[in-house]
Every structure is written in C-alpha cells, then in structure tokens.
C-alpha cells in the first residue's frame, strides 16, 4: 500500500519540486501517494495541482487544520513560508512536528538552514530565517520521530526575484553587479524548482540510510566572479563587478531596513565563514553525489530562464 507523503509548500518552489520529482520517479511514485497541503485550495496553483495529486487544506497558522491534514500520513516534507518572522517560523515547524508525533507519522524531512548566529560565534544576529530554521531542526532532532534535513543553498531563481543580485545598467551602458563583499566569495547554488526534489527524493528512497542526516543541497559552489562571467556569456553583455560599501549596498536594495540588514550580514558571513560553515565544500560535494539525479548547472538554469538585460 502506498505511504502518504504530505508536502508543505507544494504550490511553491521547493515543495512543488518535491511533488514533481516523486510523480516522475517510477519507484517513488509506487511507494508514495502525495498529499499536497495548501492554505488556499481555491488558488490557481492548487487547482492545477488537484489534477495530479490529492490537495488538502492545511494552514500553517491553524493547528486544527494541520491535525486534519496530517491524519494518516507516513512522511512529511515540511518547509516554512518566507516573511513570517523568526518566532512564528519556529513555532510553525514545532507545531507541525508535534502533530506529526501525535499522529504517529514515521518520518519528517525538514527544509532547514544553518544557524548563522552560531556559526559566526554570535557576531551576526539578523539573518533570522536561517537561525529560526536551525532552531526548529534542533527541536525535531529531539523528538521521537525519524528525520532528515535538506539545507538548501542559494536559489538560482533569486537572480530573477532578488533585484539586487541582477545586473543593473550603468550610466555608460555597461552592466554592473555591485555588492559589499569580495568577488571571490563562494556561493552554493541550487535550481530550487528543478532540483530540490532530487535531494528529498534520495531521502524518500532510502529513509533509513539518511535518518538524522542533512543534505547541504546545491549543485556546487560558484564564486561571485564566476557567476558574473556565466551571466555575461549567457546574455552577451559585458557585466562588471563593483565592490561598494555596505551602506551603499544597503541603500541600493530599496527594501525594508530589516531585510536589507539581513542581506548585509548574510553576505558578510558568506565571505568570512561560508554559507554552510567551514566544511561547506565537503558537505555540498557529499550531498550532490548522493542526490537522486543530475543537478542543473547555473549555465543550464540561465538557458531556460534567460536574464533579460535591456
Ligand atoms: N531564496 C533562497 O535562496 C533560499 C535559500 C534557502 C532557503 N530558502 C527558504 O525557502 C523558503 C521559501 O521556499 P519557496 O521559495 O519554495 O516558497 P514559495 O515558492 O514562496 O512558496 C511558499 C509556499 O508556502 C506555502 N504557504 C504560505 N503560507 C502558508 C500557510 N499559512 N499555510 C500553509 N502553507 C503556506 C504556500 O502555499 P499556499 O499559498 O498554497 O498555501 C507556498 O506553497 C523560505 O523559508 C526561505 O527562507 C530560500
């Protein structure tokens, strides 16, 4: 009999990737029956999902709805939505995990991140989406339930959605990426929509083997200058890197101060310690080797999602 796999965020990037991966993997498709969880079953995305899988209402902010949504579930893929604030984010995961234990769910796969506060020895305090997920991961690890974790690298999709990463047109007609860090910093990139499912799929295929493990999920590390060279080649435009002060960087983002401060600290941390900490290279190499399927390169991502520099 198929095991029910409840997928949070199924209408979004990473959860959607998990759904698509399982539907297209003959072995996992036989083993798991997907239950997509959404806060809005009437959205266009939810309606499209309903043509392929079971779609159930479950609002992360409403415990009763989650209790219903997680009834009869074997495995949960849990992620948290952005912009909820660290306390809310932590409490959501705690609630999902507590309900999973109460409902005799066998396994939780949680989309975590490293604690930048801890890895920086307390220096950085504002990258709260990372710290909240790390705290939630620790909570899950203390529960009587099997668990594994995907710690996702930086999304290639950010080059479309985070305007401060996309090249801007300079006055002389050239293009520029301007940040407050060295162009040598190393960035672990993942095509979240296409590849999250390949890491989660590895866990679903061999849950005992990966019980307690964390996949630091990225294709590989790219230096900032390498990423800029790849974007130049893909667009046919000359793109320069300019190192600016962190005050200038902050101003250039034109986003709420709390978010701007977070990005300032996050990039500084990347430069000093590395996204996944000092062992990042090794951790990413292990995860990409054990992913279930070939991972997309940044070049391939830009072929299918061209950057429009006009
Ligand atoms: N961008 C990066 O580089 C990066 C890197 C690592 C980790 N992350 C983390 O990735 C997460 C975002 O993932 P994503 O990009 O896949 O998200 P996304 O595409 O923005 O989708 C958000 C998902 O959350 C669901 N959701 C929102 N509110 C909900 C609620 N109250 N109850 C139930 N579901 C709810 C939405 O479903 P419905 O609307 O259908 O309910 C949707 O499927 C963030 O936590 C971020 O910190 C991002």
């Amino acid at each position: 009999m198929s095991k029910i796999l409840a997928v949070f965020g199924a209408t979004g990037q990473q959860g959607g990737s998990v759904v698509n991966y399982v539907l297209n993997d003959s072995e996992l498709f036989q083993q798991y029956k997907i239950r997509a969880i959404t806060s809005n079953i009437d959205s266009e995305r939810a309606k499209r999902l309903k043509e392929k899988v079971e779609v159930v209402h479950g609002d992360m902010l409403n415990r009763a709805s989650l209790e219903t949504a997680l009834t009869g579930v074997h495995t949960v893929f849990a992620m948290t939505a952005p912009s909820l604030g660290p306390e809310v984010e932590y409490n959501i995961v705690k609630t999902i995990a507590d309900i999973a234990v109460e409902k005799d769910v066998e396994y939780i796969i949680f989309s975590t991140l490293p604690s930048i506060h801890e890895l920086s020895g307390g220096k950085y305090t504002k990258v709260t989406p990372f710290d909240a997920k790390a705290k939630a991961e620790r909570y899950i690890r203390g529960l009587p339930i099997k668990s594994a974790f995907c710690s996702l690298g930086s999304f290639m999709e950010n080059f479309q959605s985070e305007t401060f990463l996309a090249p801007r047109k300079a006055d002389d007609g050239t293009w520029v990426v301007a940040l407050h860090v060295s162009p040598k910093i190393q960035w672990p990139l993942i095509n979240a929509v296409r590849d999250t499912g390949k890491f989660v799929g590895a866990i679903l295929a061999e849950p005992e083997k990966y019980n307690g493990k964390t996949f630091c999920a990225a294709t590989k590390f790219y230096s900032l200058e390498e990423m800029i060279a790849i974007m130049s080649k893909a667009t046919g435009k000359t793109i320069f890197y300019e190192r600016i002060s962190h005050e200038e960087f902050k101003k250039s983002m034109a986003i709420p101060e709390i978010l701007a401060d977070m990005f300032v600290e996050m990039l500084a941390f990347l430069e000093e310690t590395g996204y996944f900490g000092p062992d990042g290279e090794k951790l990413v190499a292990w995860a990409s080797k054990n992913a279930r399927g070939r991972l997309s390169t940044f070049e391939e991502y830009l072929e299918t999602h061209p950057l429009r520099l006009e």
Side-chain angles (χ1 to χ4, degrees):
M1 205 176 71
S2 297
K3 303 178 269 197
I4 296 179
L5 167 65
V7 179
F8 282 91
T11 55
Q13 302 193 97
Q14 37 174 313
S17 178
V18 173
V19 169
N20 286 333
Y21 186 82
V22 173
L23 290 180
N24 289 298
D25 182 297
S26 54
E27 197 185 317
L28 296 181
F29 181 68
Q30 297 263 323
Q31 282 185 44
Y32 294 94
K33 179 177 172 297
I34 293 170
R35 176 178 295 173
I37 298 182
T38 173
S39 63
N40 181 4
I41 46 171
D42 296 322
S43 73
E44 280 312 309
R45 281 168 185 244
K47 283 184 193 156
R48 279 201 299 276
L49 262 182
K50 225 183 263 180
E51 292 163 14
K52 304 190 277 187
V53 298
E54 179 190 18
V55 178
V56 165
H57 174 253
D59 184 338
M60 291 178 188
L61 301 169
N62 176 334
R63 193 181 212 278
S65 73
L66 298 179
E67 284 171 1
T68 307
L70 294 181
T71 300
V73 164
H74 179 278
T75 298
V76 176
F77 170 75
M79 55 77 67
T80 40
S83 345
L84 293 169
E87 274 313 304
V88 180
E89 191 166 3
Y90 169 74
N91 281 320
I92 284 173
V93 187
K94 182 176 179 301
T95 303
I96 292 172
D98 286 343
I99 295 172
V101 172
E102 284 164 28
K103 297 273 173 192
D104 291 327
V105 170
E106 289 220 359
Y107 208 103
I108 298 184
I109 301 169
F110 173 54
S111 180
T112 188
L113 279 172
S115 168
I116 288 186
H117 182 249
E118 280 171 27
L119 282 169
S120 69
K123 179 172 176 188
Y124 296 120
T125 55
K126 293 177 177 153
V127 196
T128 53
F130 279 59
D131 297 340
K133 290 178 182 70
K135 185 175 164 195
E137 173 185 334
R138 233 186 351 257
Y139 182 77
I140 294 172
R141 285 184 183 277
L143 292 176
I145 186 167
K146 290 177 197 161
S147 57
F149 303 87
C150 274
S151 189
L152 300 185
S154 186
F155 294 1
M156 294 180 190
E157 288 82 357
N158 292 344
F159 288 89
Q160 259 89 12
S161 60
E162 307 280 13
T163 46
F164 70 87
L165 278 177
R168 297 165 197 213
K169 201 166 196 170
D171 294 342
D172 63 1
T174 58
W175 293 84
V176 65
V177 172
L179 305 175
H180 65 303
V181 287
S182 159
K184 305 274 179 215
I185 65 165
Q186 297 288 319
W187 221 301
L189 291 186
I190 176 171
N191 182 334
V193 170
R194 224 170 140 149
D195 291 346
T196 302
K198 294 174 187 163
F199 295 99
V200 175
I203 299 167
L204 292 171
E206 296 184 273
E208 293 303 326
K209 175 174 169 185
Y210 293 118
N211 184 17
K213 300 270 193 296
T214 300
F215 277 76
C216 290
T219 302
K220 69 180 190 94
F221 279 90
Y222 291 82
S223 70
L224 185 50
E225 55 193 4
E226 201 180 345
M227 283 152 51
I228 290 171
I230 292 168
M231 289 193 283
S232 287
K233 192 157 174 220
T235 57
K237 310 271 189 208
T238 306
I239 305 173
F240 292 103
Y241 181 68
E242 188 187 348
R243 188 167 183 170
I244 54 179
S245 70
H246 82 264
E247 288 88 358
E248 287 171 308
F249 173 56
K250 230 175 116 167
K251 229 188 277 165
S252 74
M253 282 187 276
I255 53 176
E257 180 149 14
I258 187 165
L259 283 178
D261 282 339
M262 181 187 85
F263 286 119
V264 166
E265 284 203 352
M266 194 186 130
L267 295 187
F269 173 77
L270 239 66
E271 181 164 27
E272 288 162 25
T273 311
Y275 188 102
F276 291 120
D279 294 328
E281 287 279 353
K282 239 195 283 171
L283 296 170
V284 167
W286 178 85
S288 66
K289 191 174 107 212
N290 289 293
R292 197 168 159 93
R294 196 183 72 78
L295 302 168
S296 325
T297 63
F298 189 39
E299 288 89 336
E300 288 164 348
Y301 174 80
L302 291 176
E303 271 169 32
T304 47
H305 301 80
L307 275 184
R308 307 218 178 276
L309 302 186
E310 279 144 17

